[in-house]
């Protein structure tokens, strides 16, 4: 809950303390993900990258930790965040490779992992200022959210879809983007708030 409400530092602290206490492998896998995820949203890109890589290394060394279906969403997200980190560092080929990995992992459990793939694609495209691509993935994400009843991800996608339309010349979309952002903030979740304000 710390992460969702914007308490990224607290989430990192708890997960790092757990790692220091000698967790079993599956616990370490989860703790590395939490540190990687929370550090990214807290703007600590190097820390995020380090822990996401540790997640990947542990998963590679102990493939039995990969529970088919159950952990696939986390693996999709790890690859998606790796793509965003690569972009931030100016490695666009690395970003594309990481997104391709996210797509291949999503194939294990397309529902609801496709939602995660579309959302990471939309975020990456928005960061690249590719409004058309961001809009396509945001609309696909919205459709999947409606189909599979994932309203929170729909709030993200609605902001990105409206931003895309505004960037492509629809003046009325700016107001829709503001409304979508207000609905997102009203949910109490603080993930991606800084990016949406920047957009």
């Amino acid at each position: 809950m710390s992460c969702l409400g914007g308490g990224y530092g607290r989430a990192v602290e708890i997960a790092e303390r757990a790692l220091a206490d000698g967790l079993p492998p599956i616990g370490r896998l989860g703790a590395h993900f939490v540190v990687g995820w929370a550090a990214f949203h807290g703007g600590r890109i190097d820390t995020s990258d380090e822990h996401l890589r540790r997640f990947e290394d542990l998963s590679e060394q102990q493939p039995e930790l990969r529970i088919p279906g159950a952990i696939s969403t986390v693996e999709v997200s790890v690859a998606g965040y790796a793509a965003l980190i690569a972009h931030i560092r100016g490695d666009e080929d690395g970003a594309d490779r990481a997104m391709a990995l996210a797509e291949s992992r999503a194939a294990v459990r397309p529902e609801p992992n496709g939602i995660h793939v579309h959302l990471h694609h939309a975020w990456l495209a928005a960061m690249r200022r590719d409004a058309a691509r961001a809009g396509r993935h945001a609309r696909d994400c919205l459709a999947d959210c409606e189909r599979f009843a994932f309203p929170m991800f729909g709030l993200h996608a609605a902001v990105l879809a409206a931003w895309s339309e505004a960037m492509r010349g629809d003046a009325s979309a700016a107001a829709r983007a503001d409304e979508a952002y207000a609905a997102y903030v009203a949910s109490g979740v603080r993930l991606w708030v800084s990016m949406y304000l920047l957009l």
Side-chain angles (χ1 to χ4, degrees):
M1 293 306 294
S2 289
C3 278
L4 296 179
Y8 310 120
R10 178 74 176 134
V12 168
E13 178 189 325
I14 291 167
E16 285 182 333
R17 191 180 322 131
L19 283 165
D21 286 344
L23 292 169
I26 192 70
R28 288 202 316 274
L29 200 68
H32 283 307
F33 173 71
V34 169
V35 176
W37 182 56
F40 179 90
H41 287 286
R44 295 171 55 192
I45 300 304
D46 289 341
T47 300
S48 175
D49 187 42
E50 176 189 345
H51 283 273
L52 294 177
R53 287 179 190 274
R54 287 186 183 181
F55 176 100
E56 294 284 16
D57 290 344
L58 184 57
S59 184
E60 179 103 4
Q61 292 160 10
Q62 298 187 249
E64 68 275 10
L65 298 176
R66 294 180 187 156
I67 304 160
I71 204 168
S72 61
T73 299
V74 173
E75 290 183 319
V76 169
S77 290
V78 166
Y81 280 107
L84 302 178
I85 289 169
H87 166 75
I88 289 167
R89 290 181 165 167
D91 180 7
E92 298 302 343
D93 289 341
D96 291 337
R97 283 193 303 274
M99 278 311 308
L101 178 59
E103 290 175 351
S104 70
R105 288 177 173 175
V108 174
R109 187 183 175 208
E111 303 170 6
N113 284 343
I115 291 172
H116 290 266
V117 171
H118 286 308
L119 201 48
H120 277 93
H121 265 303
W123 281 326
L124 179 60
M127 290 168 82
R128 288 171 164 172
R129 290 294 195 246
D130 184 342
R133 187 173 178 82
R136 277 196 310 275
H137 283 290
R139 287 189 298 276
D140 287 342
C141 184
L142 278 167
D144 282 351
C145 286
E146 192 171 311
R147 240 177 5 154
F148 305 124
F150 272 67
M152 182 50 61
F153 288 86
L155 292 174
H156 285 293
V159 175
L160 290 162
W163 170 82
S164 164
E165 291 162 10
M167 292 298 288
R168 288 180 294 138
D170 182 347
S172 66
R176 290 198 301 278
D178 286 343
E179 288 168 12
Y181 176 74
Y184 179 72
V185 170
S187 74
V189 175
R190 294 295 175 258
L191 295 172
W192 291 99
V193 163
S194 56
M195 179 184 179
Y196 296 148
L197 289 173
L198 181 61
L199 292 179

